[in-house]
Amino acid sequence: MFQEVNQEALNGVLDYGINGLSSISVECVNDIFENLDYLVMELLKQVNNPSDEIKRRIVEVIQNLFQSLDENLVEVENKVIYKLVLPRALDIALNIFGCSSLDNSTYQLALEPLLTIADVKPTIVRKYPRFVQCILPIVLYRMTSIRDIPHWYTSQPEEDDDPVFDDAAMVLDRIALSLGGKYMFSEYMTLIPELLKADEWQKRHTGLFTISSVAEGCKEFFEVHLDSIVSLVVARLADSHPRVRFAACNAIGQMCTDFAPLIQKKYHEQIMPKLVPIVDEDTFQRVQCHAAAAIVNFVEDSDQETISKYCNQIFQSLINILKRRGQIERYLLEQAITTIAAASFEHTLNKFSYYDEIMPILIEILSTTDATDSEFSKLRGKVIECMGIFATVVEKSTLKPHIKQIIDLFLKTATIVNSSDDQFSYVQISFARICRCAKDEIALFLEDVVPALFRTDEEEISQSTFTALGIFAKELGKQFAPYAETLLVVSISQLCLGYNTEDICGCVVELFSCVTKFGE
């Protein structure tokens, strides 16, 4: 009965008080919020063991409160009222948000209005220190509550391991982006070093993911302190707990993206000698996989001279994974091939000396897996992509012994998979890359290659089709002319349908050039 009366009183204050805020005096605002403060605190006393109904009511208090503010205060000319109302409303919301017994779904619903206020009124929220002082400890506490479950060590990396942790990390990212580094950096850097020095692995793990989550929003201020931040993260690559090492790899990868190319140029000597060995030596495959993924982030924005310093170690570690392909999880094999492709694509300064070890393994994988089995679609796509990239970094004489076998495997794949399968687009682009390296060999198979790769009977043709078509027309010239006119008509029809993209326009130009120069 008390709960019903209490809720009725709350609704009364909300309905008759807050909904009229745009036209009332400062004194009335104070009266309304004194009553609201009292009523909410009374409700909070009842949630030691909250029922679903109480949880719902708690969330409704926050949602109704901020909806009323949004509807009634957007056009308020009385800035004194606005500046008075928002902090009082935030006080109430934060009291509710700080209730530790809320389950995750209720917690997210309760938090959303606070984050929305930070998104739309960041200037006002920045003037309210309690916002961050209250939210950060609660969010970090939820992150440190992560469980060390056996499932983590055997599951696919993209699987949702801990939604509470993931949601909390997204909150940190969103607050940093909304309020900015000038406001948030000192708050984060007060907490992060202490977390990273903690005895509990969960706190060290949280500290690293905090860096990953807020780096973009605090970029300008992180850059000034990168020396100390990089040192803190690199030290945890050798942490005793595998999940902390995983988090350190994640932080390195994120920083390589957020602070490129500065971090590659200035800190490669600190990062790479500690990161690369994890790929080969760690006993936990998820950690190995994440280290390999972080290397991709590093090499994508690194110069060739820097990459060349670590190529031998990177490729030998990845080749060791390939050699154990029958003993490891598929996701690790997929990531190893992805990293090989990325590192190969960026490594053209010196002779590419890893082809002879890697290509036979790639051919074996493509020969022994079923193109129509969705379980192998991603792996095969990565293999096909890697083969095509190899064609851009080796001499024709190096590729030549395998060209016929590669063409046969690509053609077999292209003829049996649907055009919506990622393997198909990988085959198109890789064929085009090989065409640049070995055009005479490709020309011998055009009668089979053209109908397999360029399916003109489909209503909407993929961008990869036009990219590959343009390359074929440009590289093969006269040898491609018998097919160019028909394909030009198809390409122009796509332009007429409104698919006016750079790929289609470039394709039309190359096909038109081929027809006018070599057509009959």
Side-chain angles (χ1 to χ4, degrees), residues 274-289:
K274 298 294 179 67
L275 178 64
V276 178
I278 296 176
V279 176
D280 194 22
E281 297 173 4
D282 206 289
T283 55
F284 295 93
Q285 293 186 38
R286 281 195 70 168
V287 181
Q288 288 179 282
C289 183

Side-chain angles (χ1 to χ4, degrees), residues 8 11 13 53 66 68 85 104 112 192 195 211 213 255 308 328 332 334 397 411 451 501:
E8 185 177 344
N11 290 337
V13 173
E53 178 65 15
F66 282 94
S68 297
V85 167
N104 192 51
E112 182 57 35
I192 288 171
L195 288 167
I211 292 173
S213 300
M255 289 194 298
S308 66
I328 61 174
L332 178 56
E334 291 167 354
S397 58
L411 278 175
T501 68

Side-chain angles (χ1 to χ4, degrees), residues 322-489:
L322 297 189
K323 289 179 177 178
R324 295 188 291 111
R325 57 193 176 279
Q327 306 160 31
I328 61 174
E329 296 290 339
R330 190 184 307 122
Y331 68 77
L332 178 56
L333 182 58
E334 291 167 354
Q335 183 60 60
I337 294 169
T338 300
T339 307
I340 287 171
S344 302
F345 194 72
E346 301 295 337
H347 174 59
T348 56
L349 188 64
N350 301 308
K351 182 180 179 181
F352 186 75
S353 57
Y354 314 99
Y355 176 91
D356 289 338
E357 282 192 86
I358 299 173
M359 183 58 90
I361 296 175
L362 299 181
I363 289 174
E364 183 207 301
I365 294 172
L366 212 56
S367 302
T368 57
T369 53
D370 183 357
T372 61
D373 187 342
S374 60
E375 289 289 315
F376 294 101
S377 181
K378 182 178 179 180
L379 173 62
R380 288 175 57 86
K382 296 298 182 183
V383 169
I384 293 165
E385 179 188 36
C386 192
M387 287 176 163
I389 289 173
F390 277 8
T392 68
V393 297
V394 300
E395 299 292 333
K396 177 181 176 180
S397 58
T398 303
L399 186 67
K400 190 172 182 178
H402 297 114
I403 288 178
K404 175 64 167 61
Q405 195 173 7
I406 292 171
I407 291 174
D408 287 344
L409 288 168
F410 283 8
L411 278 175
K412 182 180 178 181
T413 301
T415 54
I416 63 176
V417 301
N418 192 286
S419 61
S420 61
D421 191 313
D422 287 344
Q423 293 178 78
F424 187 73
S425 59
Y426 280 126
V427 165
Q428 290 178 314
I429 298 303
S430 291
F431 246 131
R433 285 172 170 157
I434 293 173
C435 184
R436 285 172 169 159
C437 175
K439 59 185 72 177
D440 292 337
E441 284 75 10
I442 292 290
L444 296 174
F445 296 90
L446 281 180
E447 187 176 334
D448 297 318
V449 169
V450 171
L453 293 193
F454 309 121
R455 302 176 183 177
T456 58
D457 57 341
E458 296 186 357
E459 184 175 334
E460 184 176 346
I461 304 173
S462 68
Q463 297 303 306
S464 60
T465 298
F466 294 107
T467 301
L469 260 179
I471 294 171
F472 268 73
K474 181 179 180 179
E475 297 296 330
L476 296 177
K478 185 176 181 179
Q479 294 164 307
F480 197 68
Y483 309 95
E485 186 171 349
T486 300
L487 293 168
L488 176 60
V489 172

Side-chain angles (χ1 to χ4, degrees), residues 49-115:
N49 294 293
S51 65
D52 290 340
E53 178 65 15
I54 290 294
K55 292 175 187 176
R56 183 185 62 79
R57 290 177 179 179
I58 291 171
V59 173
E60 283 180 353
V61 168
I62 297 182
Q63 291 177 327
N64 291 343
L65 178 59
F66 282 94
Q67 183 179 352
S68 297
L69 290 176
D70 182 58
E71 291 172 353
N72 292 285
L73 294 180
V74 172
E75 304 298 332
V76 173
E77 295 181 3
N78 188 342
K79 299 299 182 183
V80 175
I81 295 288
Y82 197 103
K83 291 179 180 179
L84 176 65
V85 167
L86 185 58
R88 297 296 295 272
L90 285 171
D91 274 335
I92 293 171
L94 288 168
N95 285 337
I96 298 173
F97 176 64
C99 176
S100 61
S101 60
L102 296 182
D103 60 50
N104 192 51
S105 60
T106 308
Y107 159 89
Q108 288 298 321
L109 289 170
L111 180 59
E112 182 57 35
L114 292 171
L115 299 179

Side-chain angles (χ1 to χ4, degrees), residues 5 36 41 48 62 94 140 142 193 202 223 228 264-265 277 280 333 440 446 471 512:
V5 173
L36 195 56
M41 293 309 295
N48 291 328
I62 297 182
L94 288 168
L140 293 174
R142 294 179 76 84
Q202 291 91 339
E223 284 181 344
S228 59
Q264 284 87 344
K265 291 179 178 179
D280 194 22
L333 182 58
D440 292 337
L446 281 180
I471 294 171
F512 184 78

Side-chain angles (χ1 to χ4, degrees), residues 34-53:
E34 282 180 10
N35 284 299
L36 195 56
D37 280 340
Y38 170 77
L39 292 167
V40 168
M41 293 309 295
E42 286 297 317
L43 188 60
L44 285 173
K45 290 177 183 178
Q46 303 171 32
V47 297
N48 291 328
N49 294 293
S51 65
D52 290 340
E53 178 65 15

